[in-house]
Amino acid sequence: MSGYPVPARLPENAPGRFYVNAECTDCDTCRCIAPDSFVRNDQAGYTFVARQPADEDEEELVYEAMDCCPADAICEEE
């Protein structure tokens, strides 16, 4: 445990185990990789999980987006 506070889960995230936290820099990476799961909040300038993955293929894309996220803002509840 690092002792640092965990960034807040954004309120728009769909219920479920994947979510985007307040560290999102709105880089568009996740929306390009997994457009069925991620949507941009245009007014606030960040992305959130609009829909949890529906199958293994979509889940793989979310994991790929997590790996590619430069801000490490995509999280999975443990």
Side-chain angles (χ1 to χ4, degrees):
M1 189 144 178
S2 67
Y4 293 104
V6 176
R9 179 182 181 133
L10 296 172
E12 293 93 341
N13 285 293
R17 68 179 211 255
F18 295 103
Y19 65 95
V20 176
N21 67 33
E23 295 294 306
C24 177
T25 60
D26 196 32
C27 69
D28 196 37
T29 300
C30 62
R31 295 190 308 270
C32 289
I33 294 170
D36 291 335
S37 294
F38 297 96
V39 171
R40 183 175 196 264
N41 178 324
D42 292 326
Q43 291 183 345
Y46 56 73
T47 297
F48 60 94
V49 175
R51 185 174 64 81
Q52 296 291 326
D55 57 33
E56 288 183 20
D57 291 335
E58 287 184 8
E59 188 172 288
E60 267 187 48
L61 292 174
V62 171
Y63 280 124
E64 182 179 343
M66 286 175 74
D67 289 341
C68 294
C69 178
D72 290 327
I74 304 169
C75 305
E76 180 179 17
E77 286 184 349
E78 296 181 24

